[in-house]
Amino acid sequence: GENVEQHPSTLSVQEGDSAVIKCTYSDSASNYFPWYKQELGKGSQLIIDIRSNVGEKKDQRIAVTLNKTAKHFSLHITETQPEDSAVYFCAASKGYGNKLVFGAGTILRVKS
Amino acid sequence: ETGVTQTPRHLVMGMTNKKSLKCEQHLGHNAMYWYKQSAKKPLELMFVYNFKEQTENNSVPSRFSPECPNSSHLFLHLHTLQPEDSALYLCASSQPGGSNYGYTFGSGTRLTVV
């Protein structure tokens, strides 16, 4: 079955710096890779996702890159702000109706 | 709110109690999921329902019993739980393929078994 590894487990950055979180997956049939942000008391919310037919996707300060050959994908947050502090989870899936397999999460702390 | 509503938000129960968690979505999604989030562990899939039919049971103990009466509602019935079952239980739903495979999560139920 699919296995997703996520690094680092914790990440501290200075406000304004960039943050990068990396995930690797094992099942080459996976084709959908979402990223979730979990804030205390707010549950997990989708912040960006990418399909296997594209290599990069951007949404304002957030971007995700995918390398299908190497089976890894990364979340990039630029110009970090204190409100970016949260737990971030990556996941991999074969699409609709198939389960999401999650990474272990990264605690991001943005210091002001 | 994300469109997926979970109740209650917090639950404390004894090991001999019977309780139920509820999940509701009106997003038109046809797949619903239960996930368990324990401290310092990845989110673990428990059950998957597609069009009200259970399509996956990820070796979950029988003290957890899911029920999906329709595509909008999902329950997790709990009985004779153990303290190690204390965790955040998250419900999610997803919509058919096409331009968006997105999953939507509820805010979760924080369960404490005493």
Side-chain angles (χ1 to χ4, degrees), chain A residues 13-17 37 61 77-86 88 108-112:
Chain A
V13 299
Q14 206 63 38
E15 183 178 358
D17 287 350
K37 178 181 182 182
R61 296 187 296 110
I77 306 174
T78 58
E79 300 171 29
T80 53
Q81 300 166 5
E83 52 265 37
D84 294 329
S85 297
Y88 291 81
L108 174 64
R109 295 192 183 94
V110 179
K111 296 176 286 187
S112 53

Side-chain angles (χ1 to χ4, degrees), chain A residues 13 28 36 38-39 44-45 47 50 53 67 69 73-74 76 78 85-86 88 95 98 106-107 109-110:
Chain A
V13 299
S28 56
Y36 290 88
Q38 187 177 46
E39 296 175 90
S44 296
Q45 295 198 328
I47 55 171
I50 193 168
N53 58 346
N67 183 326
T69 304
F73 55 111
S74 300
H76 304 254
T78 58
S85 297
Y88 291 81
N98 289 284
T106 296
I107 301 172
R109 295 192 183 94
V110 179

Side-chain angles (χ1 to χ4, degrees), chain A residues 31-32 34 36 38 40-46 49 51 87 89 93-105, chain B residues 2 9 30-31 33 35 37 42-43 45 48 50-51 56 88 90 94-103 105-107:
Chain A
N31 59 15
Y32 175 64
Y36 290 88
Q38 187 177 46
L40 195 63
K42 293 186 179 180
S44 296
Q45 295 198 328
L46 178 71
D49 56 12
R51 301 277 197 83
V87 182
F89 289 94
S93 168
K94 296 175 190 175
Y96 168 70
N98 289 284
K99 63 185 180 183
L100 284 172
V101 178
F102 287 88
Chain B
T2 62
R9 296 291 294 267
N30 288 310
Y33 313 79
Y35 285 86
Q37 186 176 24
L43 282 164
L45 178 71
V48 180
N50 281 301
F51 294 93
E56 187 155 348
L88 180 68
L90 291 165
S94 69
Q95 64 186 51
S99 62
N100 184 359
Y101 279 20
Y103 290 69
F105 280 89
S107 297

